[in-house]
Amino acid sequence: NAGVTQTPKFQVLKTGQSMTLQCAQDMNHNSMYWYRQDPGMGLRLIYYSASEGTTDKGEVPNGYNVSRLNKREFSLRLESAAPSQTSVYFCASSEYRANVLTFGAGSRLTVL
Amino acid sequence: AQSVTQPDIHITVSEGASLELRCNYSYGATPYLFWYVQSPGQGLQLLLKYFSGDTLVQGIKGFEAEFKRSQSSFNLRKPSVHWSDAAEYFCAVGAGSSNTGKLIFGQGTTLQVKP
């Protein structure tokens, strides 16, 4: 019963460094999402993948790239990290284009 | 544009007291509405959802919410709060007609429970 698993849970980067956040789900869901959570702003959608092989921009995609590696895995990459990307990142999954999301535990990223 | 407003950033209630968390949304069509709860250091857990039908919906942990179209509201209620309910609560709206899973979240309300 793992659900949605995110790695790493914590990461500290220097400005300009790159990194990839990994996400995997074991619920056979078709759709996957990356959100970021900032104080006082709730969660905002970065990218989503309605099904394997497709990805689309969300509300705040600038500075990020994603890869839907297979049905289970959806990664988020920061090519050149900036302090404005300091945030908590959540991966989620759902049935195909459904509105009921299952969230991972989050990855806290600090960019110095 | 769709939006969700949670007017109360922080609420403190005594254990055993009733609770109401407010949520107002802006959406042109029939919305899909959700309440999620986030315990410290955890991901978000779905409390309840409204898609259609009965405007009073029941969720987990004794929570309920009422959809009021005329007021564009979807307030969350609980008759008697327990200390374990201390958490952050998020209201969210989904694009109902397209059913894409792209949710718009409110800013969140932090609930503190006094013994």
Short mmCIF file of all heavy atoms in Angstrom, two decimals, chain A residues 31 33 35 37-45 48 57-59 88 90 94 96-106, chain B residues 32 34 36 38 41-46 49 51 88 90 93-108:
data_model
loop_
_atom_site.label_atom_id
_atom_site.label_comp_id
_atom_site.label_asym_id
_atom_site.label_seq_id
_atom_site.Cartn_x
_atom_site.Cartn_y
_atom_site.Cartn_z
N SER A 31 -3.10 9.19 -14.77
CA SER A 31 -2.73 10.61 -14.73
C SER A 31 -1.85 10.91 -13.52
O SER A 31 -2.07 10.39 -12.43
CB SER A 31 -3.98 11.48 -14.68
OG SER A 31 -4.77 11.28 -15.84
N TYR A 33 0.66 14.27 -11.58
CA TYR A 33 0.73 15.72 -11.44
C TYR A 33 1.92 16.10 -10.54
O TYR A 33 2.28 15.36 -9.63
CB TYR A 33 -0.54 16.26 -10.78
CG TYR A 33 -1.81 15.70 -11.35
CD1 TYR A 33 -2.31 14.47 -10.94
CD2 TYR A 33 -2.52 16.40 -12.33
CE1 TYR A 33 -3.46 13.94 -11.47
CE2 TYR A 33 -3.69 15.88 -12.86
CZ TYR A 33 -4.16 14.65 -12.43
OH TYR A 33 -5.31 14.14 -12.97
N TYR A 35 2.72 19.46 -8.11
CA TYR A 35 2.29 20.71 -7.52
C TYR A 35 3.42 21.25 -6.65
O TYR A 35 4.24 20.49 -6.13
CB TYR A 35 1.07 20.51 -6.61
CG TYR A 35 -0.25 20.31 -7.32
CD1 TYR A 35 -0.64 19.05 -7.75
CD2 TYR A 35 -1.11 21.38 -7.52
CE1 TYR A 35 -1.87 18.87 -8.38
CE2 TYR A 35 -2.34 21.21 -8.15
CZ TYR A 35 -2.71 19.96 -8.57
OH TYR A 35 -3.93 19.78 -9.19
N GLN A 37 3.90 23.84 -3.17
CA GLN A 37 3.17 24.47 -2.07
C GLN A 37 4.03 25.55 -1.44
O GLN A 37 5.15 25.27 -0.99
CB GLN A 37 2.79 23.44 -1.01
CG GLN A 37 2.01 24.02 0.15
CD GLN A 37 1.67 23.00 1.22
OE1 GLN A 37 2.37 22.02 1.40
NE2 GLN A 37 0.58 23.22 1.93
N ASP A 38 3.52 26.76 -1.41
CA ASP A 38 4.21 27.89 -0.81
C ASP A 38 3.31 28.52 0.24
O ASP A 38 2.08 28.57 0.06
CB ASP A 38 4.58 28.91 -1.88
CG ASP A 38 5.46 28.30 -2.95
OD1 ASP A 38 6.61 27.94 -2.61
OD2 ASP A 38 5.02 28.15 -4.10
N PRO A 39 3.86 29.02 1.32
CA PRO A 39 3.06 29.60 2.40
C PRO A 39 2.10 30.67 1.89
O PRO A 39 2.50 31.57 1.15
CB PRO A 39 4.11 30.20 3.33
CG PRO A 39 5.34 29.39 3.08
CD PRO A 39 5.30 29.06 1.61
N GLY A 40 0.84 30.56 2.29
CA GLY A 40 -0.14 31.56 1.92
C GLY A 40 -0.64 31.47 0.49
O GLY A 40 -1.44 32.31 0.07
N MET A 41 -0.16 30.47 -0.26
CA MET A 41 -0.56 30.37 -1.67
C MET A 41 -1.20 29.04 -2.01
O MET A 41 -1.51 28.78 -3.18
CB MET A 41 0.64 30.63 -2.57
CG MET A 41 1.29 31.98 -2.32
SD MET A 41 2.54 32.41 -3.53
CE MET A 41 1.50 32.76 -4.93
N GLY A 42 -1.36 28.19 -1.06
CA GLY A 42 -1.94 26.89 -1.35
C GLY A 42 -1.03 26.08 -2.26
O GLY A 42 0.19 26.24 -2.25
N LEU A 43 -1.62 25.21 -3.05
CA LEU A 43 -0.86 24.40 -4.01
C LEU A 43 -1.12 24.91 -5.42
O LEU A 43 -2.26 25.24 -5.76
CB LEU A 43 -1.28 22.93 -3.92
CG LEU A 43 -0.71 22.12 -2.78
CD1 LEU A 43 -1.41 22.43 -1.48
CD2 LEU A 43 -0.78 20.62 -3.09
N ARG A 44 -0.08 24.95 -6.21
CA ARG A 44 -0.19 25.37 -7.60
C ARG A 44 0.37 24.30 -8.52
O ARG A 44 1.44 23.76 -8.26
CB ARG A 44 0.53 26.72 -7.81
CG ARG A 44 -0.12 27.88 -7.08
CD ARG A 44 0.69 29.16 -7.28
NE ARG A 44 1.99 29.09 -6.62
CZ ARG A 44 2.97 29.96 -6.80
NH1 ARG A 44 2.81 30.97 -7.64
NH2 ARG A 44 4.11 29.82 -6.15
N LEU A 45 -0.34 24.05 -9.60
CA LEU A 45 0.03 22.99 -10.53
C LEU A 45 1.19 23.42 -11.41
O LEU A 45 1.14 24.47 -12.06
CB LEU A 45 -1.18 22.61 -11.39
CG LEU A 45 -0.98 21.48 -12.39
CD1 LEU A 45 -0.69 20.16 -11.66
CD2 LEU A 45 -2.21 21.34 -13.27
N TYR A 48 1.41 18.44 -15.56
CA TYR A 48 0.66 17.22 -15.37
C TYR A 48 0.80 16.33 -16.60
O TYR A 48 1.21 16.79 -17.67
CB TYR A 48 -0.80 17.51 -15.05
CG TYR A 48 -1.61 18.05 -16.20
CD1 TYR A 48 -2.46 17.24 -16.93
CD2 TYR A 48 -1.55 19.41 -16.52
CE1 TYR A 48 -3.21 17.75 -17.98
CE2 TYR A 48 -2.29 19.92 -17.57
CZ TYR A 48 -3.12 19.09 -18.29
OH TYR A 48 -3.86 19.60 -19.32
N LYS A 57 1.64 21.76 -19.53
CA LYS A 57 1.97 22.77 -18.54
C LYS A 57 0.77 23.06 -17.65
O LYS A 57 -0.37 23.05 -18.09
CB LYS A 57 2.42 24.06 -19.23
CG LYS A 57 3.71 23.91 -20.02
CD LYS A 57 4.05 25.21 -20.72
CE LYS A 57 5.35 25.05 -21.52
NZ LYS A 57 5.71 26.31 -22.23
N GLY A 58 1.09 23.36 -16.41
CA GLY A 58 0.09 23.82 -15.48
C GLY A 58 0.16 25.33 -15.31
O GLY A 58 0.50 26.06 -16.23
N GLU A 59 -0.09 25.76 -14.08
CA GLU A 59 -0.14 27.20 -13.79
C GLU A 59 1.23 27.85 -13.71
O GLU A 59 1.41 29.00 -14.09
CB GLU A 59 -0.89 27.37 -12.47
CG GLU A 59 -1.11 28.81 -12.02
CD GLU A 59 -1.79 28.88 -10.66
OE1 GLU A 59 -2.17 27.81 -10.11
OE2 GLU A 59 -1.93 30.00 -10.14
N VAL A 88 7.84 23.30 -1.19
CA VAL A 88 7.54 21.90 -0.97
C VAL A 88 6.83 21.39 -2.22
O VAL A 88 5.84 21.99 -2.65
CB VAL A 88 6.68 21.67 0.27
CG1 VAL A 88 6.41 20.18 0.46
CG2 VAL A 88 7.35 22.25 1.51
N PHE A 90 4.82 18.45 -4.32
CA PHE A 90 3.97 17.27 -4.16
C PHE A 90 3.69 16.65 -5.51
O PHE A 90 3.30 17.34 -6.46
CB PHE A 90 2.65 17.64 -3.51
CG PHE A 90 2.76 17.95 -2.04
CD1 PHE A 90 2.86 19.25 -1.60
CD2 PHE A 90 2.78 16.92 -1.11
CE1 PHE A 90 2.98 19.54 -0.24
CE2 PHE A 90 2.90 17.19 0.24
CZ PHE A 90 3.00 18.51 0.67
N SER A 94 -3.99 10.11 -10.31
CA SER A 94 -5.44 9.89 -10.34
C SER A 94 -5.78 8.94 -11.47
O SER A 94 -4.96 8.69 -12.37
CB SER A 94 -6.18 11.21 -10.53
OG SER A 94 -6.05 11.68 -11.87
N TYR A 96 -7.63 8.25 -14.99
CA TYR A 96 -7.46 9.08 -16.17
C TYR A 96 -8.30 10.35 -16.11
O TYR A 96 -9.52 10.29 -16.02
CB TYR A 96 -7.82 8.29 -17.43
CG TYR A 96 -7.71 9.10 -18.70
CD1 TYR A 96 -6.48 9.54 -19.14
CD2 TYR A 96 -8.84 9.44 -19.43
CE1 TYR A 96 -6.36 10.29 -20.29
CE2 TYR A 96 -8.74 10.19 -20.58
CZ TYR A 96 -7.50 10.62 -21.01
OH TYR A 96 -7.39 11.37 -22.14
N ARG A 97 -7.63 11.49 -16.06
CA ARG A 97 -8.25 12.82 -16.08
C ARG A 97 -9.33 12.97 -15.01
O ARG A 97 -10.24 13.74 -15.15
CB ARG A 97 -8.83 13.11 -17.45
CG ARG A 97 -7.78 13.21 -18.53
CD ARG A 97 -8.40 13.27 -19.91
NE ARG A 97 -9.20 14.48 -20.13
CZ ARG A 97 -8.71 15.62 -20.58
NH1 ARG A 97 -7.43 15.73 -20.83
NH2 ARG A 97 -9.51 16.64 -20.77
N ALA A 98 -9.19 12.24 -13.92
CA ALA A 98 -10.19 12.34 -12.85
C ALA A 98 -9.77 13.38 -11.84
O ALA A 98 -8.61 13.74 -11.73
CB ALA A 98 -10.36 10.99 -12.16
N ASN A 99 -10.72 13.85 -11.08
CA ASN A 99 -10.45 14.93 -10.15
C ASN A 99 -10.05 14.48 -8.76
O ASN A 99 -9.66 15.31 -7.95
CB ASN A 99 -11.66 15.84 -10.04
CG ASN A 99 -11.70 16.87 -11.16
OD1 ASN A 99 -10.70 17.52 -11.42
ND2 ASN A 99 -12.83 16.99 -11.81
N VAL A 100 -10.15 13.21 -8.45
CA VAL A 100 -9.78 12.73 -7.12
C VAL A 100 -8.32 12.33 -7.14
O VAL A 100 -7.94 11.34 -7.75
CB VAL A 100 -10.66 11.55 -6.69
CG1 VAL A 100 -10.24 11.07 -5.31
CG2 VAL A 100 -12.12 11.97 -6.68
N LEU A 101 -7.50 13.11 -6.46
CA LEU A 101 -6.05 12.92 -6.48
C LEU A 101 -5.55 12.23 -5.22
O LEU A 101 -6.07 12.49 -4.12
CB LEU A 101 -5.35 14.27 -6.59
CG LEU A 101 -5.13 14.86 -7.99
CD1 LEU A 101 -6.41 14.96 -8.77
CD2 LEU A 101 -4.42 16.18 -7.89
N THR A 102 -4.55 11.39 -5.39
CA THR A 102 -3.81 10.81 -4.27
C THR A 102 -2.44 11.45 -4.25
O THR A 102 -1.73 11.42 -5.27
CB THR A 102 -3.69 9.29 -4.41
OG1 THR A 102 -4.99 8.71 -4.46
CG2 THR A 102 -2.93 8.71 -3.23
N PHE A 103 -2.06 12.02 -3.11
CA PHE A 103 -0.82 12.77 -3.01
C PHE A 103 0.28 11.96 -2.33
O PHE A 103 0.02 11.14 -1.45
CB PHE A 103 -1.04 14.05 -2.19
CG PHE A 103 -1.75 15.13 -2.93
CD1 PHE A 103 -3.12 15.17 -2.98
CD2 PHE A 103 -1.02 16.13 -3.58
CE1 PHE A 103 -3.79 16.18 -3.67
CE2 PHE A 103 -1.67 17.14 -4.28
CZ PHE A 103 -3.06 17.16 -4.32
N GLY A 104 1.52 12.27 -2.73
CA GLY A 104 2.67 11.77 -2.00
C GLY A 104 2.92 12.63 -0.78
O GLY A 104 2.22 13.61 -0.52
N ALA A 105 3.95 12.27 -0.02
CA ALA A 105 4.25 12.95 1.25
C ALA A 105 4.98 14.27 1.07
O ALA A 105 5.11 15.04 2.02
CB ALA A 105 5.04 12.03 2.16
N GLY A 106 5.47 14.54 -0.11
CA GLY A 106 6.12 15.82 -0.37
C GLY A 106 7.64 15.75 -0.35
O GLY A 106 8.24 14.88 0.29
N TYR B 32 -16.55 21.04 -9.49
CA TYR B 32 -16.25 19.90 -8.64
C TYR B 32 -15.50 20.48 -7.43
O TYR B 32 -14.52 21.19 -7.62
CB TYR B 32 -15.37 18.88 -9.35
CG TYR B 32 -16.07 18.03 -10.38
CD1 TYR B 32 -17.33 18.33 -10.85
CD2 TYR B 32 -15.44 16.90 -10.90
CE1 TYR B 32 -17.96 17.53 -11.78
CE2 TYR B 32 -16.06 16.10 -11.85
CZ TYR B 32 -17.32 16.43 -12.28
OH TYR B 32 -17.94 15.63 -13.22
N PHE B 34 -13.74 20.15 -3.42
CA PHE B 34 -13.02 19.21 -2.56
C PHE B 34 -12.55 19.91 -1.29
O PHE B 34 -12.28 21.11 -1.29
CB PHE B 34 -11.76 18.67 -3.27
CG PHE B 34 -12.02 18.08 -4.62
CD1 PHE B 34 -12.13 18.88 -5.74
CD2 PHE B 34 -12.15 16.71 -4.77
CE1 PHE B 34 -12.36 18.33 -6.99
CE2 PHE B 34 -12.37 16.15 -6.02
CZ PHE B 34 -12.49 16.97 -7.12
N TYR B 36 -9.37 18.98 1.36
CA TYR B 36 -8.24 18.12 1.71
C TYR B 36 -7.69 18.57 3.06
O TYR B 36 -7.76 19.74 3.42
CB TYR B 36 -7.11 18.25 0.68
CG TYR B 36 -7.33 17.49 -0.61
CD1 TYR B 36 -8.05 18.06 -1.66
CD2 TYR B 36 -6.80 16.21 -0.78
CE1 TYR B 36 -8.22 17.37 -2.85
CE2 TYR B 36 -6.98 15.52 -1.96
CZ TYR B 36 -7.69 16.11 -2.99
OH TYR B 36 -7.86 15.41 -4.17
N GLN B 38 -4.11 18.37 5.55
CA GLN B 38 -2.68 18.09 5.56
C GLN B 38 -2.16 18.16 6.99
O GLN B 38 -2.14 19.23 7.60
CB GLN B 38 -1.92 19.10 4.69
CG GLN B 38 -0.44 18.81 4.60
CD GLN B 38 0.29 19.86 3.78
OE1 GLN B 38 -0.11 21.02 3.70
NE2 GLN B 38 1.38 19.45 3.15
N GLY B 41 4.02 17.77 8.01
CA GLY B 41 4.99 16.90 7.38
C GLY B 41 4.41 15.82 6.50
O GLY B 41 5.13 14.93 6.05
N GLN B 42 3.11 15.89 6.24
CA GLN B 42 2.45 14.85 5.46
C GLN B 42 1.91 15.39 4.15
O GLN B 42 1.86 16.61 3.94
CB GLN B 42 1.29 14.25 6.26
CG GLN B 42 1.69 13.66 7.60
CD GLN B 42 2.64 12.49 7.45
OE1 GLN B 42 2.44 11.60 6.64
NE2 GLN B 42 3.70 12.49 8.24
N GLY B 43 1.51 14.49 3.30
CA GLY B 43 0.83 14.88 2.08
C GLY B 43 -0.63 15.22 2.36
O GLY B 43 -1.07 15.23 3.49
N LEU B 44 -1.35 15.50 1.31
CA LEU B 44 -2.76 15.87 1.44
C LEU B 44 -3.65 14.63 1.38
O LEU B 44 -3.43 13.75 0.55
CB LEU B 44 -3.17 16.84 0.34
CG LEU B 44 -2.81 18.31 0.55
CD1 LEU B 44 -1.33 18.53 0.39
CD2 LEU B 44 -3.60 19.19 -0.41
N GLN B 45 -4.66 14.62 2.25
CA GLN B 45 -5.61 13.52 2.27
C GLN B 45 -6.99 14.06 1.96
O GLN B 45 -7.41 15.08 2.52
CB GLN B 45 -5.61 12.84 3.65
CG GLN B 45 -6.57 11.69 3.77
CD GLN B 45 -6.61 11.10 5.17
OE1 GLN B 45 -6.25 11.74 6.15
NE2 GLN B 45 -7.07 9.87 5.27
N LEU B 46 -7.73 13.39 1.10
CA LEU B 46 -9.06 13.83 0.72
C LEU B 46 -10.03 13.61 1.87
O LEU B 46 -10.15 12.50 2.38
CB LEU B 46 -9.54 13.07 -0.52
CG LEU B 46 -10.92 13.43 -1.02
CD1 LEU B 46 -10.94 14.86 -1.58
CD2 LEU B 46 -11.38 12.44 -2.10
N LYS B 49 -15.76 15.24 -1.15
CA LYS B 49 -15.87 15.84 -2.47
C LYS B 49 -17.34 16.03 -2.82
O LYS B 49 -18.21 15.31 -2.34
CB LYS B 49 -15.19 14.98 -3.52
CG LYS B 49 -15.80 13.60 -3.69
CD LYS B 49 -15.01 12.77 -4.68
CE LYS B 49 -15.66 11.43 -4.94
NZ LYS B 49 -15.61 10.53 -3.76
N PHE B 51 -19.57 16.45 -6.39
CA PHE B 51 -19.62 16.45 -7.84
C PHE B 51 -20.99 16.88 -8.33
O PHE B 51 -21.10 17.67 -9.25
CB PHE B 51 -19.28 15.06 -8.40
CG PHE B 51 -17.81 14.71 -8.34
CD1 PHE B 51 -17.36 13.48 -8.79
CD2 PHE B 51 -16.87 15.59 -7.84
CE1 PHE B 51 -16.01 13.15 -8.73
CE2 PHE B 51 -15.52 15.27 -7.77
CZ PHE B 51 -15.09 14.04 -8.22
N GLU B 88 -3.75 21.54 8.60
CA GLU B 88 -4.07 22.57 7.62
C GLU B 88 -5.10 22.01 6.65
O GLU B 88 -4.98 20.86 6.20
CB GLU B 88 -2.82 23.04 6.87
CG GLU B 88 -3.08 24.28 6.02
CD GLU B 88 -1.81 25.01 5.60
OE1 GLU B 88 -0.73 24.40 5.66
OE2 GLU B 88 -1.93 26.19 5.20
N PHE B 90 -7.41 22.50 3.13
CA PHE B 90 -7.43 23.14 1.83
C PHE B 90 -8.74 22.84 1.12
O PHE B 90 -9.14 21.68 1.00
CB PHE B 90 -6.28 22.65 0.95
CG PHE B 90 -4.92 23.09 1.42
CD1 PHE B 90 -4.16 22.26 2.23
CD2 PHE B 90 -4.40 24.31 1.05
CE1 PHE B 90 -2.90 22.64 2.66
CE2 PHE B 90 -3.15 24.71 1.47
CZ PHE B 90 -2.40 23.87 2.29
N VAL B 93 -11.12 23.49 -6.15
CA VAL B 93 -12.14 23.37 -7.18
C VAL B 93 -11.51 22.75 -8.41
O VAL B 93 -10.37 23.04 -8.75
CB VAL B 93 -12.77 24.74 -7.51
CG1 VAL B 93 -11.73 25.70 -8.07
CG2 VAL B 93 -13.92 24.61 -8.49
N GLY B 94 -12.26 21.87 -9.05
CA GLY B 94 -11.81 21.23 -10.27
C GLY B 94 -12.68 21.65 -11.42
O GLY B 94 -13.84 22.03 -11.23
N ALA B 95 -12.12 21.58 -12.62
CA ALA B 95 -12.88 21.92 -13.82
C ALA B 95 -13.84 20.78 -14.11
O ALA B 95 -13.49 19.82 -14.77
CB ALA B 95 -11.92 22.14 -14.98
N GLY B 96 -15.05 20.90 -13.61
CA GLY B 96 -15.97 19.77 -13.65
C GLY B 96 -16.27 19.24 -15.02
O GLY B 96 -16.28 18.05 -15.24
N SER B 97 -16.48 20.14 -15.97
CA SER B 97 -16.90 19.66 -17.28
C SER B 97 -15.78 18.91 -17.98
O SER B 97 -16.02 17.95 -18.69
CB SER B 97 -17.37 20.83 -18.14
OG SER B 97 -16.31 21.76 -18.30
N SER B 98 -14.56 19.30 -17.78
CA SER B 98 -13.46 18.66 -18.47
C SER B 98 -12.80 17.59 -17.63
O SER B 98 -12.08 16.76 -18.16
CB SER B 98 -12.41 19.68 -18.90
OG SER B 98 -11.92 20.38 -17.78
N ASN B 99 -13.05 17.62 -16.33
CA ASN B 99 -12.62 16.53 -15.46
C ASN B 99 -11.16 16.16 -15.68
O ASN B 99 -10.83 15.02 -15.97
CB ASN B 99 -13.51 15.30 -15.74
CG ASN B 99 -13.40 14.27 -14.64
OD1 ASN B 99 -13.13 14.59 -13.49
ND2 ASN B 99 -13.60 13.01 -14.99
N THR B 100 -10.30 17.14 -15.55
CA THR B 100 -8.90 16.93 -15.89
C THR B 100 -8.00 16.63 -14.70
O THR B 100 -6.85 16.30 -14.89
CB THR B 100 -8.33 18.19 -16.56
OG1 THR B 100 -8.43 19.27 -15.63
CG2 THR B 100 -9.07 18.52 -17.83
N GLY B 101 -8.48 16.80 -13.49
CA GLY B 101 -7.62 16.63 -12.33
C GLY B 101 -6.76 17.84 -12.05
O GLY B 101 -5.93 17.83 -11.16
N LYS B 102 -6.93 18.91 -12.79
CA LYS B 102 -6.16 20.13 -12.56
C LYS B 102 -6.92 20.99 -11.56
O LYS B 102 -7.78 21.76 -11.91
CB LYS B 102 -5.99 20.89 -13.87
CG LYS B 102 -5.10 20.17 -14.85
CD LYS B 102 -5.28 20.60 -16.29
CE LYS B 102 -5.33 22.06 -16.54
NZ LYS B 102 -5.49 22.37 -17.97
N LEU B 103 -6.57 20.81 -10.30
CA LEU B 103 -7.30 21.48 -9.24
C LEU B 103 -6.73 22.86 -8.95
O LEU B 103 -5.52 23.08 -9.04
CB LEU B 103 -7.25 20.63 -7.95
CG LEU B 103 -7.81 19.22 -8.05
CD1 LEU B 103 -7.80 18.56 -6.69
CD2 LEU B 103 -9.20 19.21 -8.65
N ILE B 104 -7.62 23.78 -8.56
CA ILE B 104 -7.22 25.09 -8.06
C ILE B 104 -7.46 25.07 -6.56
O ILE B 104 -8.58 24.80 -6.11
CB ILE B 104 -8.05 26.21 -8.70
CG1 ILE B 104 -7.92 26.17 -10.22
CG2 ILE B 104 -7.61 27.56 -8.15
CD1 ILE B 104 -6.53 26.43 -10.74
N PHE B 105 -6.40 25.34 -5.80
CA PHE B 105 -6.48 25.27 -4.35
C PHE B 105 -6.61 26.66 -3.73
O PHE B 105 -6.10 27.65 -4.25
CB PHE B 105 -5.22 24.61 -3.78
CG PHE B 105 -5.17 23.12 -3.96
CD1 PHE B 105 -4.72 22.57 -5.14
CD2 PHE B 105 -5.58 22.27 -2.94
CE1 PHE B 105 -4.67 21.19 -5.31
CE2 PHE B 105 -5.54 20.89 -3.10
CZ PHE B 105 -5.09 20.37 -4.29
N GLY B 106 -7.30 26.69 -2.59
CA GLY B 106 -7.28 27.89 -1.76
C GLY B 106 -5.98 27.99 -1.01
O GLY B 106 -5.11 27.11 -1.08
N GLN B 107 -5.85 29.07 -0.25
CA GLN B 107 -4.60 29.36 0.45
C GLN B 107 -4.39 28.48 1.67
O GLN B 107 -3.29 28.40 2.20
CB GLN B 107 -4.58 30.83 0.88
CG GLN B 107 -4.75 31.82 -0.27
CD GLN B 107 -6.20 32.20 -0.50
OE1 GLN B 107 -7.12 31.39 -0.36
NE2 GLN B 107 -6.42 33.45 -0.87
N GLY B 108 -5.45 27.86 2.11
CA GLY B 108 -5.35 26.99 3.28
C GLY B 108 -5.76 27.68 4.57
O GLY B 108 -5.59 28.90 4.72
#
